[in-house]
Every structure is written in structure tokens, then in C-alpha cells.
Amino acid sequence: MPRAFDSRLTPARADLAAKDLEGKVEAARFVEGRVFEVIDPHTAVRAAPAPDAPLLTEALKGERVTVYDLNAEGWAWGQLGADSYVGWLSTNALAPAGAPATHKVSALRTFGFPGPSIKLPPIEALPLGARLAIARVEDRLAVTRSGAYVPLPHLAPLDFIEPDFVAVAERFLGVPYLWGGKTALGIDCSGLVQVALTAAGHVCPRDSDMQEGALGAPVADAERELRLRRGDLVFWKGHVAIVRDPGTLIHANAFHMAVALEPFAEAVARIRAAGSEVTSVRRIG
């Protein structure tokens, strides 16, 4: 009998599945995927092919998507290359994969301009982590292969690694809470962890339960009370926070409806009062 797979990470439905899953899952037919890339600054990945369907996550510009199904209403069903998440994306946000990215956005947000002047009305607002194929540099502007001019100080080579992922998370302080969000327009708890850790060179899954199972090493109960360290991850069922210092957490949360700093003890007490206990603390190596 085919074993169970996490549906969030498995491109399989009753009517259709990825060709490489044949014999592993049950589906009416199996298809080869086609690789596209995200051309919008960021785009929604939804649970169903409709603009009002729940937001699962977001894909950022330059990210590869393996598409297995296209429908007549302008939706593509596929799997993200960065974290393997599966969902529906607007076909308007996708194009056949082009030249590999050479740089990524290292600022919290930046602009792409239609020409070599920052006085021109920008044509796009790019989030931290967006990937760009740079064709050339003109003075302090990098020109993408699609012709956008992006401030060079806001970019870093693709292999650049941020030295402190907590400092990356701190840049998002005050950003509104958005379930499924991954940008400075809105972000959720696990999105904040994923974006920050990815910028620091760590492979990080999307959802908090995946992160709890995959990241770091467990911190024993006795040690966590005395020696929390900057960068430790604190987990509850359905929530994750980052230790900023031994007494303070930074997390995107629905209580503040923003990325906020909160004393560790106050956060634990508040969330306990709502019926949830800390499930683990994980230390990133």
C-alpha cells in the first residue's frame, strides 16, 4: 500500500500527480512537470485556484516552480523549488524559467526602475530574498536581464550569507502579521523564521511544525530556563518565536498583529493562558 505523504510537500491529487510519484501515491494520471519562474515581486500560493482561497505561503521573484497543471481560469498548480511547498499560483505571475539568478535583494524592500534614474516612477517593489539575474551594472544601479534598474547597495551576490539571522528578523519589527506572508507587506511567524534563516544560509522548511522537526538540536528544559541564547527557536503548537536575547523574543504574532518584541516570560504566560504550552526549544548550530 502506498505510504502517506505530507500533502503540503507532495504534488499529488486524486486526479493528477507528479510523474516521479508513480507507484508511490494513487492518482488517475501522472505527468511531467514544467519549470517556470516567478516574475512578479512576490505572489500568493493558495489552497485552491481562486483569488479568495486561503493563502498558504508566498513565492518570491526569481523562484522556480515546477508546474503540473494549468487550468483555463489562469491558475497553475505546482511545487516551489525553494521549500517544496505545493499550491496554486496565478499564471500571470509566472514565465518559462530564464537565466539563472546572480543576485538577491538584501534590503528589506527595494525598487526596480524603468530606466537609469531613481527619479523615474518605479515599476516594481522587490522584497528581501527576491532573486534577480543581473546583466550589467551602470554606476550604482544594477540592470536586470528584463531591463529593470535596481539600486546596487540593495543587492548581494546570490551566495552572500548574512552573519546573524536574528538581525535579519529584527528588520521586520513592526511589519503587519499576515497568515502565509513572507515579505515586509505582511509576514507570519514561520515565514519570519524561514526568511531570516534562509538569508543566513540555512535550509529552512515553511511551517512551524516542519521547522520544529527539522531545525537545530533540542534544548533541555533545565537549560532553557537559565541559558536561552540569541537565535534559539521557541515552539508552541502552531507558533514559533526567535530568542533575541535571554529575556526577549521576536515573533510575528496575531496578538500584536505585527512582528514584535515581547519578554519571554510574558509571552509564555500569555500563550499558556490561551491554552498552549511551549513544546520545545531548538538551538541552531
Side-chain angles (χ1 to χ4, degrees), residues 10 40 72 94 167 180 199 213 246 254 264 278:
T10 309
D40 281 1
L94 302 176
F264 175 80
V278 171

PDB file of all heavy atoms in Angstrom, residues 10 40 72 94 167 180 199 213 246 254 264 278:
ATOM      1  N   THR A  10       3.801  17.399  -1.287  1.00  0.00           N
ATOM      2  CA  THR A  10       3.686  16.309  -2.242  1.00  0.00           C
ATOM      3  C   THR A  10       2.750  16.711  -3.382  1.00  0.00           C
ATOM      4  O   THR A  10       1.551  16.922  -3.149  1.00  0.00           O
ATOM      5  CB  THR A  10       3.131  15.044  -1.562  1.00  0.00           C
ATOM      6  OG1 THR A  10       3.901  14.769  -0.386  1.00  0.00           O
ATOM      7  CG2 THR A  10       3.196  13.859  -2.497  1.00  0.00           C
ATOM      8  N   ASP A  40       6.643  38.145 -10.867  1.00  0.00           N
ATOM      9  CA  ASP A  40       6.144  39.219 -10.012  1.00  0.00           C
ATOM     10  C   ASP A  40       7.077  39.371  -8.814  1.00  0.00           C
ATOM     11  O   ASP A  40       7.782  38.427  -8.447  1.00  0.00           O
ATOM     12  CB  ASP A  40       4.732  38.906  -9.517  1.00  0.00           C
ATOM     13  CG  ASP A  40       3.669  39.180 -10.563  1.00  0.00           C
ATOM     14  OD1 ASP A  40       4.038  39.607 -11.688  1.00  0.00           O
ATOM     15  OD2 ASP A  40       2.476  38.953 -10.281  1.00  0.00           O
ATOM     16  N   ALA A  72      -8.024  26.643 -17.213  1.00  0.00           N
ATOM     17  CA  ALA A  72      -8.485  27.664 -18.149  1.00  0.00           C
ATOM     18  C   ALA A  72      -8.750  28.998 -17.478  1.00  0.00           C
ATOM     19  O   ALA A  72      -8.914  30.020 -18.157  1.00  0.00           O
ATOM     20  CB  ALA A  72      -9.760  27.180 -18.853  1.00  0.00           C
ATOM     21  N   LEU A  94       3.890  34.039 -13.517  1.00  0.00           N
ATOM     22  CA  LEU A  94       4.885  33.055 -13.920  1.00  0.00           C
ATOM     23  C   LEU A  94       5.304  33.246 -15.375  1.00  0.00           C
ATOM     24  O   LEU A  94       4.547  33.780 -16.191  1.00  0.00           O
ATOM     25  CB  LEU A  94       4.333  31.639 -13.754  1.00  0.00           C
ATOM     26  CG  LEU A  94       3.857  31.220 -12.358  1.00  0.00           C
ATOM     27  CD1 LEU A  94       3.246  29.826 -12.419  1.00  0.00           C
ATOM     28  CD2 LEU A  94       4.997  31.275 -11.362  1.00  0.00           C
ATOM     29  N   ALA A 167      19.340  39.333  13.450  1.00  0.00           N
ATOM     30  CA  ALA A 167      19.383  40.711  12.967  1.00  0.00           C
ATOM     31  C   ALA A 167      18.524  40.880  11.721  1.00  0.00           C
ATOM     32  O   ALA A 167      17.904  41.938  11.516  1.00  0.00           O
ATOM     33  CB  ALA A 167      20.825  41.126  12.687  1.00  0.00           C
ATOM     34  N   GLY A 180       0.530  33.331   6.181  1.00  0.00           N
ATOM     35  CA  GLY A 180       1.078  32.925   4.897  1.00  0.00           C
ATOM     36  C   GLY A 180       2.045  33.916   4.278  1.00  0.00           C
ATOM     37  O   GLY A 180       2.670  33.615   3.263  1.00  0.00           O
ATOM     38  N   ALA A 199      18.243  33.752   4.618  1.00  0.00           N
ATOM     39  CA  ALA A 199      19.216  34.809   4.358  1.00  0.00           C
ATOM     40  C   ALA A 199      20.566  34.503   4.980  1.00  0.00           C
ATOM     41  O   ALA A 199      21.610  34.944   4.488  1.00  0.00           O
ATOM     42  CB  ALA A 199      18.687  36.142   4.883  1.00  0.00           C
ATOM     43  N   GLY A 213      10.532  20.057  13.626  1.00  0.00           N
ATOM     44  CA  GLY A 213      11.036  18.711  13.381  1.00  0.00           C
ATOM     45  C   GLY A 213      12.381  18.665  12.677  1.00  0.00           C
ATOM     46  O   GLY A 213      13.054  17.643  12.720  1.00  0.00           O
ATOM     47  N   PRO A 246      18.460  36.614  26.126  1.00  0.00           N
ATOM     48  CA  PRO A 246      17.923  35.646  27.086  1.00  0.00           C
ATOM     49  C   PRO A 246      16.544  35.973  27.652  1.00  0.00           C
ATOM     50  O   PRO A 246      15.834  35.059  28.087  1.00  0.00           O
ATOM     51  CB  PRO A 246      18.985  35.634  28.183  1.00  0.00           C
ATOM     52  CG  PRO A 246      20.251  35.947  27.466  1.00  0.00           C
ATOM     53  CD  PRO A 246      19.872  36.960  26.424  1.00  0.00           C
ATOM     54  N   ALA A 254      -0.383  37.062  16.085  1.00  0.00           N
ATOM     55  CA  ALA A 254      -1.706  37.640  15.911  1.00  0.00           C
ATOM     56  C   ALA A 254      -2.151  38.455  17.115  1.00  0.00           C
ATOM     57  O   ALA A 254      -3.096  39.249  17.003  1.00  0.00           O
ATOM     58  CB  ALA A 254      -2.719  36.534  15.622  1.00  0.00           C
ATOM     59  N   PHE A 264      10.201  37.139  27.221  1.00  0.00           N
ATOM     60  CA  PHE A 264       9.992  35.699  27.131  1.00  0.00           C
ATOM     61  C   PHE A 264       8.941  35.222  28.132  1.00  0.00           C
ATOM     62  O   PHE A 264       7.996  34.511  27.773  1.00  0.00           O
ATOM     63  CB  PHE A 264      11.324  34.973  27.354  1.00  0.00           C
ATOM     64  CG  PHE A 264      11.207  33.481  27.403  1.00  0.00           C
ATOM     65  CD1 PHE A 264      11.103  32.739  26.247  1.00  0.00           C
ATOM     66  CD2 PHE A 264      11.200  32.797  28.620  1.00  0.00           C
ATOM     67  CE1 PHE A 264      11.000  31.353  26.283  1.00  0.00           C
ATOM     68  CE2 PHE A 264      11.096  31.418  28.669  1.00  0.00           C
ATOM     69  CZ  PHE A 264      10.998  30.696  27.494  1.00  0.00           C
ATOM     70  N   VAL A 278       4.734  25.698  25.742  1.00  0.00           N
ATOM     71  CA  VAL A 278       5.928  25.525  24.923  1.00  0.00           C
ATOM     72  C   VAL A 278       6.134  24.034  24.679  1.00  0.00           C
ATOM     73  O   VAL A 278       6.098  23.234  25.614  1.00  0.00           O
ATOM     74  CB  VAL A 278       7.166  26.132  25.623  1.00  0.00           C
ATOM     75  CG1 VAL A 278       8.446  25.758  24.874  1.00  0.00           C
ATOM     76  CG2 VAL A 278       7.036  27.645  25.734  1.00  0.00           C
TER      77      VAL A 278
END
